[in-house]
Amino acid sequence: MLKHLYIKNYTLIEELDIEFCKGFSVITGETGAGKSIILGAIGLLLGQRADSKAIKAGSDKCVIEAHFDLSRYAMDDFFVQNDIEQDAEDTILRRELTASGKSRAFINDTPVALSLMKELGESLVDVHSQHQNLLLNKQDFQLEVVDIIARDSADLEAYQKSYAAYQEAEQNLRTLEKEIEQSRREADFLQFQYDELSAAKLNAGEQQKLEDQSETMSHAEEIKQALYDAENYFDGEEGGALSLLRNATSSLHSIGRVFASSEELAERVNSCYIELKDVAAEVNSLLSKVDFDPAELDAVNARLDRIYELQKKYHVTTVEELLELEEQIGKKLSNIENSDENIAEQRKKLAELQDKCQQLADKLSSKRVKAAREVEKQMRERLVPLGMPNVRFEVALTKEQLGRNGQDKVSFLFSANTSTVLQPVSQVASGGEIARVMLALKAMISGAVKLPTIIFDEIDTGVSGKIAEQMAQIMHEMGQQDRQVISITHLPQIAALGAHHYKVYKEETANGTVSHMQKLSSDERVTEIAQMLSGSDVSDAAIANARQLLRL
């Protein structure tokens, strides 16, 4: 429930700091006193968009903060999932607006996205204003009411998951059919491409190997001459490196018996001789292999030219990409060849998912039919005391194609008397009747949904007298079920039944008009309700009437 509300520098409110109580509370005040401003501030805490023009003139920042006691409501998952510290007895929502247009949102002093504040706010407070009566025009709202009474959220979630899978399979089938149709139109061309690439008998890595081979063969004479020269340097007739190293080793060995250090040097030179001899042998081997064959070079270059031609044609740069393209085209041709089988398989999968959706939708429908009868029963029971003794209220359920919420279309049909044909409630109910219908709906669904705080903004429009008293009694009863109900009202019959009474009023100051809100004492309530009964000139009769309404 809402425990405390603090507003600073918001439109006509300079500073408001007020405590709220559990149960049924009422807020009264003259038109234009600022009741809608307070609702607007609460709306910002529920995630509504902010306008810097709402900041009080002359101020550069406004702050709106509310404290909630959620200890009786299981909301731990929200805070755990969003990594926000929680104090169930004191959950704080705060919005800050600056004149520059910046807006910041906080939950328990943790900065959060506005969407997250909206998600939490919608679980904390339900504000019912006159424009919300338009929900009776919307089938989604009417279906939601039936689902709440049916308590079918788990079944609806299971259906929606199944329906999402069905839609995905349906899209996959359409995509497959489109691709196959396109491929069939291109089949001859695809076959030509595949045959061309397949005939090339490409191998991964062959391009680099061929390019190296072409480069070597193109410079065969140069390479052969260099190898020949190297061979002569190693072991030529005029004294090569190997001969010189052998002589150096012999010279060092010859003095070994008189100069011991020369033996170590001789071994080192001998090691060089062995290594160099091995290199010379490899050079000789390479020399025998290098040969210039014009025909082989032409064949290598012809193969490279074909590879380059294919790469240019298919807009790629490597043989590997050509091989990948060949594989892709092969798959397309395979799909064309097996298209009927693939489509049949996909259609079978789609049919299976549709059957599953239908089964889950039928289960939902069954629960909704039972819930519809319960809604009809409860609505009649709630509307009769509200001045509609001959009311008829029917929940019409009709079948449609499977959709996101199942296959049921819901329409609330209404007649205030026995002689009028049942028609959609939004088309035939008067303003006062719609207000009573919405109150009855809210009272009914509030019993199924644990919502901490419900605010009714002038739901009494179009009613008076005994009916207003009955509406107040319903709101009072709603406030007894671990719920906080706040009614903004102009009717003394409703104001009198509030367990707590707040008044909003304006005051002219040196800084302009300022709105205030205060909780009324018992005597102040008598005066306020008497003024609501008789106007600014409060008579003794009005005082007595007010006391009677308050049962004092």
Side-chain angles (χ1 to χ4, degrees):
M1 60 166 251
L2 175 62
K3 298 193 304 179
H4 176 247
L5 180 65
Y6 177 79
I7 304 173
K8 185 174 179 64
N9 296 330
Y10 182 71
T11 67
L12 298 181
I13 297 176
E14 193 170 82
E15 188 170 35
L16 173 67
D17 194 356
I18 196 159
E19 303 288 335
F20 284 92
C21 304
K22 64 180 180 179
F24 179 40
S25 299
V26 294
I27 299 175
T28 61
E30 295 180 359
T31 300
K35 300 185 295 298
S36 61
I37 295 174
I38 294 170
L39 274 184
I42 292 174
L44 291 178
L45 293 176
L46 303 185
Q48 294 179 7
R49 293 292 173 183
D51 186 346
S52 58
K53 295 178 182 177
I55 299 175
K56 184 173 175 57
S59 303
D60 56 8
K61 178 181 178 181
C62 85
V63 177
I64 302 158
E65 181 175 291
H67 294 243
F68 293 86
D69 182 354
L70 307 181
S71 56
R72 296 188 179 184
Y73 301 89
M75 305 186 85
D76 295 355
D77 287 349
F78 173 87
F79 294 92
V80 172
Q81 291 171 6
N82 294 288
D83 195 23
I84 298 174
E85 289 188 11
Q86 181 190 15
D87 181 349
E89 295 183 357
D90 189 25
T91 297
I92 306 170
L93 273 64
R94 185 170 81 253
R95 283 287 295 277
E96 296 179 359
L97 312 179
T98 65
S100 63
K102 291 183 179 180
S103 168
R104 297 199 299 168
F106 301 85
I107 298 176
N108 291 339
D109 290 327
T110 300
V112 297
L114 189 58
S115 58
L116 195 62
M117 174 173 273
K118 180 179 176 67
E119 180 184 342
L120 177 59
E122 289 176 346
S123 301
L124 299 181
V125 181
D126 175 34
V127 178
H128 181 94
S129 58
Q130 292 182 51
H131 77 270
Q132 201 178 27
N133 291 336
L134 296 174
L135 288 173
L136 284 175
N137 289 322
K138 300 185 180 299
Q139 291 178 1
D140 287 349
F141 170 73
Q142 298 178 31
L143 179 61
E144 184 180 0
V145 169
V146 173
D147 281 336
I148 287 173
I149 300 305
R151 299 181 187 274
D152 59 9
S153 59
D155 297 302
L156 180 57
E157 183 179 355
Y159 169 81
Q160 288 176 337
K161 286 182 179 178
S162 179
Y163 183 69
Y166 168 74
Q167 284 187 307
E168 183 180 359
E170 192 174 38
Q171 180 60 45
N172 290 341
L173 175 60
R174 285 196 294 265
T175 300
L176 178 62
E177 289 174 334
K178 185 176 180 180
E179 288 177 351
I180 289 174
E181 182 183 354
Q182 180 71 18
S183 296
R184 280 173 175 166
R185 288 197 295 266
E186 301 174 351
D188 290 342
F189 181 61
L190 288 171
Q191 189 64 56
F192 169 78
Q193 288 183 316
Y194 182 78
D195 291 343
E196 182 177 47
L197 291 170
S198 180
K201 298 186 183 303
L202 299 167
N203 295 298
E206 73 167 311
Q207 181 177 351
Q208 185 63 52
K209 183 178 179 181
L210 287 169
E211 286 174 343
D212 291 344
Q213 191 175 355
S214 175
E215 186 73 12
T216 298
M217 295 177 71
S218 297
H219 297 82
E221 292 301 324
E222 179 184 346
I223 295 169
K224 198 166 186 177
Q225 183 61 51
L227 291 173
Y228 178 76
D229 291 342
E231 185 181 43
N232 281 331
Y233 290 140
F234 287 137
D235 203 13
E237 293 180 359
E238 298 180 359
L242 290 173
S243 177
L244 294 174
L245 285 174
R246 280 197 304 270
N247 292 338
T249 302
S250 296
S251 295
L252 290 170
H253 275 309
S254 67
I255 60 173
R257 57 189 176 78
V258 293
F259 188 59
S261 297
S262 67
E263 287 297 331
E264 181 183 353
L265 292 173
E267 290 301 322
R268 289 172 62 186
V269 173
N270 190 53
S271 294
C272 293
Y273 170 79
I274 294 171
E275 176 65 21
L276 200 57
K277 186 176 181 181
D278 186 60
V279 172
E282 192 168 341
V283 168
N284 182 265
S285 176
L286 290 173
L287 182 60
S288 64
K289 292 177 182 177
V290 174
D291 198 9
F292 177 68
D293 184 346
E296 185 178 356
L297 177 60
D298 288 344
V300 169
N301 286 336
R303 179 63 173 171
L304 282 172
D305 288 343
R306 181 57 176 155
I307 290 173
Y308 296 151
E309 180 185 359
L310 290 172
Q311 288 174 345
K312 182 177 180 181
K313 182 175 182 178
Y314 291 102
H315 307 289
V316 297
T317 58
T318 66
V319 168
E320 287 70 26
E321 288 175 298
L322 287 172
L323 288 168
E324 184 179 351
L325 183 60
E326 180 184 349
E327 182 181 1
Q328 291 173 357
I329 295 173
K331 286 181 179 178
K332 286 185 178 181
L333 290 170
S334 177
N335 285 339
I336 294 172
E337 186 178 344
N338 303 313
S339 58
D340 291 339
E341 181 181 340
N342 292 340
I343 289 176
E345 183 179 347
Q346 189 64 29
R347 284 177 176 167
K348 179 183 177 182
K349 179 181 178 181
L350 184 65
E352 290 172 351
L353 288 171
Q354 186 177 23
D355 287 345
K356 183 179 179 181
C357 280
Q358 188 62 58
Q359 292 172 13
L360 294 172
D362 289 342
K363 185 178 180 181
L364 268 176
S365 295
S366 177
K367 289 192 173 184
R368 285 167 173 170
V369 168
K370 293 179 182 178
R373 305 292 82 82
E374 180 63 23
V375 170
E376 292 170 348
K377 176 176 175 291
Q378 286 199 40
M379 287 299 289
R380 283 192 292 267
E381 290 175 352
R382 294 175 186 277
L383 289 172
V384 167
L386 292 176
M388 300 184 191
N390 299 314
V391 68
R392 287 183 293 157
F393 191 94
E394 183 178 309
V395 180
L397 285 169
T398 55
K399 299 290 185 186
E400 292 187 320
Q401 289 185 341
L402 293 175
R404 184 178 181 276
N405 294 313
Q407 60 184 347
D408 302 301
K409 176 183 177 182
V410 175
S411 181
F412 289 168
L413 305 180
F414 173 85
S415 174
N417 51 68
T418 56
S419 61
T420 304
V421 177
L422 284 165
Q423 294 186 57
V425 62
S426 61
Q427 298 178 17
V428 296
S430 66
E433 288 169 342
I434 285 181
R436 282 174 275 174
V437 168
M438 284 302 295
L439 176 60
L441 283 172
K442 291 280 184 175
M444 178 181 63
I445 63 179
S446 68
V449 179
K450 277 202 166 186
L451 195 65
T453 300
I454 300 176
I455 301 176
F456 291 105
D457 181 18
E458 299 184 2
I459 197 173
D460 49 41
T461 300
V463 299
S464 59
K466 184 68 175 176
I467 304 305
E469 187 175 343
Q470 288 295 333
M471 293 178 72
Q473 189 61 45
I474 289 175
M475 288 185 277
H476 185 271
E477 290 172 1
M478 290 171 66
Q480 299 304 306
Q481 302 169 4
D482 286 337
R483 191 175 295 105
Q484 181 185 49
V485 177
I486 300 172
S487 176
I488 298 174
T489 181
H490 288 293
L491 297 181
Q493 293 89 345
I494 291 179
L497 275 184
H500 314 280
H501 192 154
Y502 301 84
K503 180 178 180 179
V504 179
Y505 61 96
K506 287 193 297 188
E507 179 186 18
E508 296 298 331
T509 69
N511 295 324
T513 305
V514 177
S515 286
H516 299 281
M517 181 178 181
Q518 70 177 59
K519 186 177 181 183
L520 300 181
S521 65
S522 180
D523 290 341
E524 288 169 336
R525 290 193 71 182
V526 172
T527 303
E528 174 68 8
I529 292 175
Q531 287 179 339
M532 295 173 73
L533 287 165
S534 64
S536 56
D537 296 328
V538 179
S539 63
D540 290 341
I543 292 289
N545 197 359
R547 289 185 176 278
Q548 185 177 3
L549 286 174
L550 289 165
R551 294 175 175 81
L552 296 176

